[in-house]
Amino acid sequence: MSPFGRLLLLVCLVLPLYAVEKVRNRGYRKDAEFDKYGSCLQGPAGNPGREGNPGTNGIPGTPGIPGRDGMRGEKGECVSEVFEEPWRPNYKQCAWNSLNYGIDLGKIADCTFTKLRSDSALRVLFSGSLRLKCKTACCQRWYFTFNGAECTGPLPVESIIYLDQGSPELNSTINIHRTSSVEGLCEGMKSGLVDVAVWVGTCSDYPRGDASTGWNSVSRIVIEELPKSF
């Protein structure tokens, strides 16, 4: 057989095999769309669904483990709250008609008072006729005592009368009875009964004269308890 005849025979044998293999490969080729969605194509995405109803409450959990004790705190201060009662008036008056005390030294009159508080003060007043006479210079002192002692909170409650000598020519003295007062405040006394008294005595460094208290008139002691101002 000639070379051309052999080539023609070879082409006739190979060409059918190539066609068969091409058909086989086409039958087994996988489509990408098929692998992704199966046999049907995927349509567009739908609208989001509505929210569902809230779920029921769950079962309560078990109590946790107790925590550790904290650090010990600093020692506190004990503060007691004091509720004070509202202030109410507390006063007393003792009065005498025509005492006519002609003593120069000693107690003239007294008045007992009930003091309600220890942090209060007492206001005292003596009002009455006072007189002093003498031929030479003299001085008399009228003062208050509280339970037998003069006030020390802060100072005594007193009043004095000083009289110069009378007229030597007439050998007489001035004799004037005049209503006067002895008044002041005293602090520092405890609560309870207080004996308030008015006395007459001498002035220091001066001789005494002829004193008179409460002549022909009303004399009185007034005592009032007052709150202390801070």
Side-chain angles (χ1 to χ4, degrees):
M1 182 177 295
S2 62
F4 179 75
R6 292 178 181 176
L7 180 59
L8 183 58
L9 180 60
L10 181 58
V11 171
C12 290
L13 292 175
V14 173
L15 186 59
L17 294 177
Y18 174 74
V20 172
E21 185 66 23
K22 187 174 182 181
V23 172
R24 182 183 298 174
N25 291 338
R26 182 182 302 174
Y28 285 96
R29 187 184 63 181
K30 294 183 178 180
D31 196 318
E33 294 295 328
F34 180 86
D35 290 341
K36 185 175 181 180
Y37 301 108
S39 60
C40 300
L41 296 179
Q42 181 69 25
N47 296 327
R50 292 179 301 175
E51 293 185 359
N53 297 326
T56 58
N57 295 331
I59 300 174
T62 57
I65 301 174
R68 294 180 297 176
D69 294 339
M71 297 178 62
R72 186 174 182 179
E74 298 181 358
K75 186 176 180 180
E77 297 181 359
C78 181
V79 179
S80 59
E81 190 172 1
V82 179
F83 296 94
E84 294 187 358
E85 296 181 359
W87 183 267
R88 57 188 181 92
N90 183 27
Y91 64 90
K92 184 179 181 180
Q93 175 180 241
C94 298
W96 303 268
N97 188 25
S98 298
L99 280 174
N100 291 333
Y101 266 35
I103 62 174
D104 303 327
L105 297 173
K107 183 190 294 186
I108 297 174
D110 61 1
C111 185
T112 302
F113 182 79
T114 301
K115 192 171 184 286
L116 300 180
R117 301 194 180 194
S118 296
D119 59 348
S120 61
L122 289 186
R123 174 183 174 267
V124 291
L125 166 69
F126 172 79
S127 176
S129 172
L130 304 181
R131 186 219 61 185
L132 179 64
K133 68 176 182 176
C134 52
K135 292 183 179 181
T136 60
C138 61
C139 180
Q140 294 289 143
R141 174 175 176 256
W142 283 261
Y143 59 94
F144 275 99
T145 61
F146 304 87
N147 292 330
E150 290 196 62
C151 179
T152 57
L155 292 170
V157 180
E158 64 178 1
S159 181
I160 68 168
I161 295 179
Y162 170 79
L163 186 65
D164 206 345
Q165 65 184 18
S167 173
E169 294 81 5
L170 300 178
N171 194 22
S172 63
T173 60
I174 300 175
N175 186 21
I176 299 177
H177 295 265
R178 181 178 291 116
T179 300
S180 304
S181 62
V182 184
E183 182 179 6
L185 290 175
C186 189
E187 303 174 357
M189 288 174 288
K190 296 181 180 180
S191 60
L193 290 177
V194 182
D195 181 46
V196 180
V198 61
W199 297 63
V200 62
T202 59
C203 306
S204 58
D205 300 330
Y206 286 93
R208 74 184 187 186
D210 182 11
S212 176
T213 306
W215 177 78
N216 198 31
S217 60
V218 174
S219 303
R220 59 174 42 88
I221 294 177
V222 179
I223 310 168
E224 182 182 7
E225 186 174 7
L226 300 175
K228 188 174 181 181
S229 178
F230 295 96

